[in-house]
């Protein structure tokens, strides 16, 4: 985000922004400190919007740092509480005090039925009466991207924290936090709030696609990346940020890094080396810390539940026994569902003990609907170990196999429906699917060359041969024929 403070001291801008920042604070604030109607604003040239302004509600958050202005007081109150939640997580993560100096104004404009704006969430910092004024404008036409709104709130909190003690006279011509630093803090906040998809980090860890520090710092315009590359970039920044935070004294060092970065005091490599003394910036050492951090983030917790399809995959693996082929002497897997072949294995009773242990471990993280099936399979395995006849085992297995097949079919349909919903309704908001299709279209088109006389001639001949037999001759071909006749 690029912000220039020069030229923003015009009277018109100051009048408009002073309305948003001049909020009287109300004591005894609870989760939402105050809700009040915003009266009509009387000034030249603004009479047409007075009626709309009169309908707006102004909500002051519990810490009184956020002022949310919207037409719906309930929406404004919910957004104020969400902003406070983000603020609390950021302060806890950085280990900083809860004090603040400047208000952050969030204004929701328009109606949800309006067409989507090209840039629906806009952040801006103005100088009013010698003090910075922080604004987030949200145009709600077509819906609001909550993730981008949360990112904007985190960005403004970072700027307010780093600029509160900087004199206006000391402001440089450009005040800018590095993109990798802002994105890394955003990802770290989401991680600490438990709202990050761990599968992204699992994929990065499995495929070794995490970006290096050099690659992160070399990316000057992440907004132009395609959806997949941007996801890798954001996740890599998050791994780097959590790696820095987990160093000894990492919280204090990161706060110093933020203060120095906003004023551009040196290159990113020098600032990291200056503030994180325990972290050597040699290639092997830094990648070792990153690998350990990524491995920790990719490891699922004991309470993390598997999806239905992942549960079925692990379930099928836990059912496998091994027999040795008498001719090739190679191990051959045999599923417990094929009970007729299982009982032919010499040591099937010993192997079933291992299968039961795998089932017990799976029951901790399996999809809840599978837990009863796992319990019944464990009971059946114990009965087979004690000599249950194959015919009775088949009678027990039949309904359970049918249940699993029906469950997998329903889970697959649900996944396909959610994919269709994402592509159809959410693709335009997230940009992931549209970016993917744009890339494919670009690859299909290839490089467009400038037209020449020969290419135009070939295009005309191709168009002529593709015409139906009774179609009239195109005008371009008729003009060529008339020129030949004149010659």
């Amino acid at each position: 985000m690029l912000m220039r403070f020069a030229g923003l001291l015009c009277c018109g801008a100051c009048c408009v922004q002073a309305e948003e920042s001049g909020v009287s604070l109300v004591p005894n604030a609870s989760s939402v400190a105050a809700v009040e109607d915003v009266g009509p604003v009387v000034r030249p040239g603004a009479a047409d919007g007075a009626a709309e302004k009169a309908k707006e509600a102004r909500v002051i958050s519990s810490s009184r740092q956020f002022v949310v202005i919207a037409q719906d007081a309930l929406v404004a109150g919910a957004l104020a509480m969400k902003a406070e939640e983000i603020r609390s997580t950021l302060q806890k993560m950085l280990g900083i005090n809860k004090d603040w100096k400047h208000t952050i104004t969030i204004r929701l404009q328009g109606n949800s039925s309006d067409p989507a704006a090209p840039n629906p969430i806009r952040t801006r910092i103005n100088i009013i009466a010698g003090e910075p004024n922080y604004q987030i404008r949200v145009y709600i036409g077509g819906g609001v991207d909550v993730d981008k709104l949360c990112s904007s709130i985190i960005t403004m909190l970072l700027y307010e924290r780093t600029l509160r003690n900087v004199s206006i006279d000391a402001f440089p011509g450009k005040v800018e936090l590095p993109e990798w630093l802002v994105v890394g803090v955003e990802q770290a906040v989401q991680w600490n709030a438990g709202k990050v998809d761990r599968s992204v980090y699992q994929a990065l860890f499995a495929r070794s696609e995490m970006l290096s520090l050099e690659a992160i710092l070399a990316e000057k315009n992440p907004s132009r990346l395609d959806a997949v590359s941007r996801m890798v970039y954001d996740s890599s920044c998050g791994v780097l940020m959590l790696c820095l935070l987990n160093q000894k004294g990492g919280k204090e060092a990161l706060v110093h890094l933020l203060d120095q970065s906003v004023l551009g005091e040196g290159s990113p490599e020098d600032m990291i080396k200056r503030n994180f003394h325990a972290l050597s910036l040699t290639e092997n050492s830094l990648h070792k810390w990153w690998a350990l951090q990524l491995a920790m983030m990719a490891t699922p917790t004991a309470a993390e539940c598997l999806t239905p399809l992942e549960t079925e995959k692990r379930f099928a693996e836990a059912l496998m026994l091994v027999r040795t082929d008498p001719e090739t002497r190679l191990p051959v897997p045999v599923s417990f569902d094929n009970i007729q072949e299982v009982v032919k294995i010499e040591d099937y009773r010993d192997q079933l003990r291992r299968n039961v242990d795998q089932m017990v471990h799976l029951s901790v993280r399996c999809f809840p609907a599978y837990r009863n099936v796992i319990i019944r399979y464990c009971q059946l395995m114990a009965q087979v170990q004690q000599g249950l006849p194959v015919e009775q085992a088949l009678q027990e297995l039949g309904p359970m196999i049918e249940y699993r097949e029906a469950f997998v079919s329903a889970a697959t349909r649900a996944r396909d429906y959610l994919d269709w919903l994402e592509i159809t309704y959410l693709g335009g908001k997230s940009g992931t699917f549209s970016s993917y299709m744009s890339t494919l279209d670009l690859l299909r088109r290839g490089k467009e060359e400038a037209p020449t006389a020969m290419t135009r001639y070939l295009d005309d001949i191709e168009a002529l041969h593709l015409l139906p037999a009774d179609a009239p001759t195109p005008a371009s071909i008729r003009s060529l024929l008339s020129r030949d006749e004149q010659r």
Side-chain angles (χ1 to χ4, degrees):
M1 179 176 59
L2 179 62
M3 284 164 287
R4 296 184 179 275
F5 293 96
L8 295 179
L9 299 179
C10 60
C11 296
C14 290
C15 289
V16 175
Q17 304 308 328
E19 291 174 14
E20 300 178 356
S21 59
V23 180
S24 59
L25 302 180
V26 180
N28 301 325
S30 58
S31 61
V32 176
V35 179
E36 57 187 53
D37 292 331
V38 178
V41 180
V42 181
R43 67 178 184 270
D48 295 339
E52 181 179 354
K53 293 285 184 182
K55 299 178 182 178
E56 291 182 336
R58 174 177 293 162
V59 175
I60 304 173
S61 65
S62 58
S63 68
R64 304 177 183 177
Q65 184 176 11
F66 297 98
V67 178
V68 184
I69 302 174
Q71 295 183 4
D72 190 336
L74 294 178
V75 173
L79 182 53
M81 287 189 287
K82 181 65 177 178
E84 284 294 330
E85 177 186 345
I86 296 173
R87 177 177 179 270
S88 177
T89 304
L90 180 63
Q91 290 172 340
K92 183 179 180 181
M93 186 185 75
L94 298 180
I96 56 180
N97 297 327
K98 297 182 179 181
D99 59 330
W100 58 274
K101 185 176 180 181
H102 300 108
T103 303
I104 299 176
T105 303
I106 306 174
R107 181 185 288 274
L108 275 64
Q109 294 183 317
N111 299 308
S112 58
S113 58
D114 297 339
N119 187 16
I121 300 177
R122 306 174 188 180
T123 56
R124 187 177 182 182
I125 303 177
N126 290 341
I127 304 300
I128 301 175
E131 294 289 338
N133 178 262
Y134 301 89
Q135 301 178 26
I136 301 176
R137 289 182 179 269
V138 183
Y139 297 88
I140 63 176
V144 178
D145 190 329
V146 179
D147 293 335
K148 289 185 178 179
L149 179 56
C150 292
S151 298
S152 300
I153 294 173
I154 294 173
T155 302
M156 282 309 208
L157 285 170
L158 289 177
Y159 275 104
E160 195 278 332
R161 170 64 182 77
T162 54
L163 296 176
R164 68 174 63 166
N165 297 322
V166 177
S167 172
I168 297 296
D169 298 333
F171 276 9
K174 181 175 70 172
V175 179
E176 180 180 12
L177 281 172
E179 185 76 9
W180 67 270
L181 193 54
V182 176
V183 172
V185 172
E186 292 172 357
Q187 291 290 313
V189 169
Q190 296 295 326
W191 176 265
N192 283 276
K195 298 180 180 179
V196 172
D197 186 3
R198 192 185 297 272
S199 62
V200 176
Y201 296 97
Q202 291 173 345
L204 283 174
F205 182 74
R207 302 178 184 179
S208 301
E209 293 181 352
M210 182 179 61
L211 297 180
S212 65
L213 176 64
E214 294 77 12
I216 292 175
L217 300 181
E219 183 57 57
K220 302 302 181 184
N221 195 351
S223 60
R224 293 187 178 181
L225 296 174
D226 61 82
V228 176
S229 300
R230 183 59 196 259
M231 179 188 65
V232 174
Y233 174 83
D234 292 350
S235 302
S236 300
C237 291
V239 174
L240 174 59
M241 189 57 54
L242 289 169
C243 180
L244 296 178
L245 281 170
N246 290 334
Q247 300 299 311
K248 184 178 181 180
K251 294 181 178 180
E252 296 80 3
L254 181 58
V255 172
H256 293 314
L257 178 62
L258 287 167
D259 294 337
Q260 296 168 11
S261 298
V262 75
L263 298 178
E265 298 180 359
S267 65
E269 295 90 343
D270 293 339
M271 287 187 291
I272 294 176
K273 187 175 182 180
R274 187 190 312 155
N275 292 283
F276 295 89
H277 307 288
L279 181 62
S280 176
L281 289 182
T282 60
E283 187 72 17
N284 294 333
S285 178
L286 187 57
H287 276 273
K288 178 188 72 174
W289 282 105
W290 276 12
L292 292 174
Q293 181 66 38
L294 183 60
M296 183 274 295
M297 298 172 70
T299 303
T301 61
E304 188 172 343
C305 182
L306 297 172
T307 65
L309 297 180
E310 290 173 344
T311 301
E312 173 59 30
K313 180 181 178 181
R314 302 282 184 90
F315 191 88
E317 293 173 354
L319 290 177
M320 289 299 173
L321 289 81
V322 179
R323 70 175 178 87
T324 303
D325 188 276
E327 297 180 358
T328 62
R329 307 303 299 174
L330 295 176
V332 178
V334 179
S335 175
F336 181 75
D337 291 336
N338 190 3
I339 189 65
Q340 299 96 326
E341 296 296 326
V342 167
V343 295
K344 296 178 182 179
I345 302 174
E346 294 182 1
D347 60 339
Y348 77 90
R349 287 185 172 86
D350 295 333
Q351 292 192 39
L352 283 177
R353 294 191 184 95
R354 181 200 62 195
N355 294 98
V356 172
D357 291 340
Q358 292 178 350
M359 289 285 184
V360 172
H361 284 91
L362 179 60
S363 65
V364 177
R365 295 188 55 233
C366 72
F367 192 76
Y370 259 79
R371 195 155 287 129
N372 290 333
V373 179
I374 291 177
I375 294 173
R376 187 66 194 103
Y377 262 90
C378 290
Q379 294 172 347
L380 184 59
M381 287 179 179
Q383 292 173 357
V384 171
Q385 285 178 303
Q386 297 172 3
L388 181 71
V390 174
E391 293 76 11
Q392 295 184 21
L394 284 174
Q395 293 178 359
E396 294 284 344
L397 280 172
M400 291 191 291
I401 293 175
E402 292 180 1
Y403 174 83
R404 287 168 50 205
E405 291 175 349
F407 197 87
V408 169
S409 177
T412 304
R413 290 197 305 271
R415 181 200 61 189
D416 294 343
Y417 173 76
L418 291 176
D419 289 343
W420 171 84
L421 182 67
E422 169 73 18
I423 293 171
T424 306
Y425 293 100
L426 304 180
K429 296 179 183 178
S430 64
T432 304
F433 184 71
S434 59
S435 174
Y436 170 75
M437 293 304 297
S438 300
T439 304
L440 284 184
D441 186 53
L442 181 63
L443 292 175
R444 292 192 185 105
R445 290 201 313 265
K447 183 180 179 180
E448 296 183 359
E449 299 179 355
T452 62
M454 179 59 70
T455 59
R456 287 193 294 268
Y457 170 76
L458 293 176
D459 291 340
D460 292 337
I461 294 300
E462 182 181 8
L464 182 62
H465 281 279
L466 293 177
L467 287 175
D470 55 347
T473 305
S476 59
I477 303 299
R478 288 201 305 270
S479 62
L480 290 175
L481 294 175
S482 62
R483 283 202 299 257
D484 291 341
E485 292 175 357
Q486 292 175 1
R487 293 175 183 174

